Amino acid sequence: MARRVAVCAVAQTGFVSNMWQKRFQQMCFETVESIVKQTGVDWNEETGIRNIVTCSDDVFDARTISDNGITDAVGAHFRGEEKTAQDGINAIAYAMACIMSGHDDVVLVVGHTKESQTESRNMCSNLAFDPFYCRDLGLDFEKGAALQARAYALKSGISETQLAKAVVNARRNAAKNPLANARELVTVEQVVNSPMLCDPIRALHAYPVSDGAVAMLLAAEDKYKEYTDKPVWLTGWSNCMDSYFFGDRDLASNFSLKKASAAALKMAGVSDAKGAFDVVEINDAYAYQLAMWAEGLGLCDENKGGEWIESGILETGKINPSGGMLAGNPIMLGGLARAAEAVIQLRGEAGERQVAGAKRAVAQGTTGPAGQHQAVMILEN
Amino acid sequence: MAKYFDVSVEDIFNTMEARFRVEGAKGVNAVLAYDISGDGGGKWLVEVRDDSVKVAKTDDLSGFSVKTSADAETFVGVNIGKIDGTQAFMSGKIKIEGDMALVAASAKMFTRYSLPKKSAVTVQGIFDTLVARFQPQNAAGLDISVGYDITGEDGGQWTAVIKDGKCALETGLRDNCAVVNIVKAKDYIDLILGKLDPMVAMGAGRLKLKGDMNVAMQLPKIFAKFEPPKEEEEQELIVIKRNISVDMKYSTGPVMGKFFEGLIEKKILANKCPKCGRMQVPPREVCAECRCWAGDMIEVGPSGTITLIEIIYYSSPDPLTGETRETPYAQVHILLDGIGTEETFWHLLKNEDLADTKKGDRVRPVWSDKRVGSVHDIIHFERIRD
């Protein structure tokens, strides 16, 4: 049996739309400093951190091999460091694998993105598409999401009001999260009357441009006590890729998320997602995704995401207590920030937004056009 | 005609007009001169004007915009991609006079010379298919061995053993062959492909048959005709060109930001690690070794001592402007006065100082009149000669 892996601490910069005061290196460094302060971890080559897993995006950082530019800030000087692609939740999984395999005892995870550094994040995500067809046709992650939102609405019949309620919930929860970016309360009327960005996605359906960094310290079950007395265990994980080309995909099928979810549940020994989680953190970059990913995670029945939003579950405060991605995390950190909130909740440190007696949480991460990459992590205290 | 890598210098120039790419020569009006020395060399003028090209062999290279001189082997090697052009230039095998940028631009004006295709048919390839081409219905009752002695480069010896309606191929010649074909490899391929008539070849003594002529006459029936593998035409496929750019704005933060502000005031600021005292210029927030915040700023220099000098002869074009820096130019590492440790500052050296500057020489910055808080606020460093 592989060693169990504990999250010992998380640190996040606040998320804001333009962190102009700081280079992204400083954003990273501040989270690492916080981890050191919380845990007393050091860089002793025998007993401390000797491996750092990072997540960043080359285009947003405007340099190739973007991790090379942050090695000093993340403490990787004269240490091992590796960057993961896709969402930062993959960095947690990689660090987890390093520990489960016995290769490392303590691993630091650091993710950062500064969306504000670019003229337009859509220009950056346009570069994620192939240069022969899709890029020239103007696809970017927002347009890709709109196609998926349309396909999902046609399939499930989700209503404008239900979509708006997803945003209302995000803001209501974010108002209690001092780290969140978009914290102003909104009403259903404001959302349904907000300008159309890319039909059917309205301005308030989209996550705000955001900057920020997240760090996390992971340790093996026989080492965690040196760093925390409130370990959060990583008990389930999986990820799955869908096709790159939209034409090959059924955009409303949730195919890759269902696969990832089923495998993560199996690893954690959970038979049914419904009712299994005290805290659910969904990577909802756009309002429709709260409902659609909830279906993919198995939290509600197929095509019932809209009804699930109106079922009263949002009012329990258990769904995206952080405010979710809709309250503003940058691309690459959607899943990593979801997992960070899950840890905070399971440690009982979520203050005003604390879900009482939280025992088990699920965090979902996604990257790529219209959720091409899907990852699911299950955490327990 | 002397050939290098199977290509002559003439081949390169004779195909140049056909290899011209109008889209790569937009706005170019220039005369490219080539002085190619050695066997097969000569002088050529390539005139690119108004989206067209003229290539002429000449004795008079005057009036060129840029002249490339090289020996024939280097010239051919670079043109067909067998020799690295940059290295050849650096080692002095290629000399360039005049507008250097045109040499880099000429790579866009012409598609690369490609070698005419060699025949894909080999003697080995022919024998590899021999057994498959055996026609048992035409070999009923035969119990013979047929020898092949294919001479010269890529030749070899084989024996086809035909018995009981089956054919086996062995390497080497059996002693009991009914007939042995003796022929040069190249002629054998031509015979098989029908390019050389067997009677003509025999008459000229290029094909010798030792043994039973009657068996030799039956061979075309015993073995079906060799079908050469189809050569796929190398098609020129479309290449899509794009210049990707996204406007960016970079925060400098409280440490590097102060450094850039200092440049406006003609000050060079370093930061110092509060733990180990290491200084960094340009300054960064963190001391990588101590993993601590290093925000203390200290003015250093502006003069210093060169610790490393690097002269660049072949400059890459700037990807955004397409402009190529004038060469040669020098980058220098400078240990600024007041830096107590080993961390050096990196900048350019004044071109006039290129010839006689070395490690250990003293330099000072030459400040721009219009300073905005950028690395170009210092134009370059110059030697202190007084």
Side-chain angles (χ1 to χ4, degrees), chain A residues 197-263:
Chain A
L197 279 185
C198 188
D199 198 358
I201 293 179
R202 295 181 178 278
L204 285 172
H205 288 167
Y207 76 109
V209 169
S210 299
D211 296 347
V214 179
M216 207 174 268
L217 188 74
L218 271 57
E221 61 183 321
D222 47 335
K223 300 283 178 186
Y224 79 89
K225 283 187 181 136
E226 295 172 36
Y227 308 112
T228 184
D229 51 11
K230 283 194 281 187
V232 172
W233 302 102
L234 301 176
T235 57
W237 152 262
S238 188
N239 70 355
C240 183
M241 297 298 299
D242 207 333
S243 304
Y244 182 52
F245 279 87
F246 279 3
D248 299 347
R249 286 171 64 178
D250 175 352
L251 285 174
S253 75
N254 254 329
F255 180 83
S256 52
L257 180 54
K258 284 176 185 167
K259 282 267 197 192
S261 180

Side-chain angles (χ1 to χ4, degrees), chain A residues 139-159:
Chain A
L139 274 175
D140 54 42
F141 285 1
E142 182 185 283
K143 307 332 174 255
L147 283 166
Q148 186 171 50
R150 171 75 67 200
Y152 175 67
L154 288 170
K155 177 168 170 276
S156 71
I158 193 169
S159 70

Side-chain angles (χ1 to χ4, degrees), chain B residues 232-287:
Chain B
E232 277 192 29
E233 278 280 300
E234 195 169 351
Q235 206 184 330
E236 190 146 334
L237 298 172
I238 290 167
V239 170
I240 296 173
K241 294 212 163 189
R242 289 285 184 279
N243 186 3
I244 54 168
S245 74
V246 179
D247 278 354
M248 309 290 292
K249 50 173 191 265
Y250 306 115
S251 297
T252 57
V255 176
M256 206 175 265
K258 282 189 194 133
F259 166 77
F260 285 118
E261 276 179 6
L263 293 180
I264 297 175
E265 306 296 319
K266 293 193 187 179
K267 286 178 184 171
I268 301 177
L269 297 175
N271 69 323
K272 186 171 184 176
C273 173
K275 283 191 183 167
C276 70
R278 208 167 64 95
M279 291 165 84
Q280 302 182 128
V281 57
R284 281 135 284 157
E285 295 86 346
V286 180
C287 172

Side-chain angles (χ1 to χ4, degrees), chain A residues 125-139 244-245, chain B residues 238-244:
Chain A
S125 62
N126 173 256
L127 295 175
F129 288 86
D130 81 276
F132 307 107
Y133 294 99
C134 305
R135 199 182 288 176
D136 278 15
L137 295 173
L139 274 175
Y244 182 52
F245 279 87
Chain B
I238 290 167
V239 170
I240 296 173
K241 294 212 163 189
R242 289 285 184 279
N243 186 3
I244 54 168

Side-chain angles (χ1 to χ4, degrees), chain A residues 19-23 26 29 43 59-60 62 72 75 77 79 114 116-119 123-124 127 132 135-136, chain B residues 240 242 244-256 280 283-289 291-293:
Chain A
M19 210 175 281
W20 59 270
Q21 308 92 329
K22 296 170 190 177
R23 297 203 302 154
Q26 184 176 345
F29 181 67
W43 273 263
V59 178
F60 281 98
D72 56 350
H77 190 65
R79 290 292 176 285
K114 212 171 174 196
S116 72
Q117 191 164 279
T118 68
E119 182 186 8
M123 287 172 80
C124 298
L127 295 175
F132 307 107
R135 199 182 288 176
D136 278 15
Chain B
I240 296 173
R242 289 285 184 279
I244 54 168
S245 74
V246 179
D247 278 354
M248 309 290 292
K249 50 173 191 265
Y250 306 115
S251 297
T252 57
V255 176
M256 206 175 265
Q280 302 182 128
R284 281 135 284 157
E285 295 86 346
V286 180
C287 172
E289 288 181 24
R291 298 178 173 81
C292 67
W293 182 261

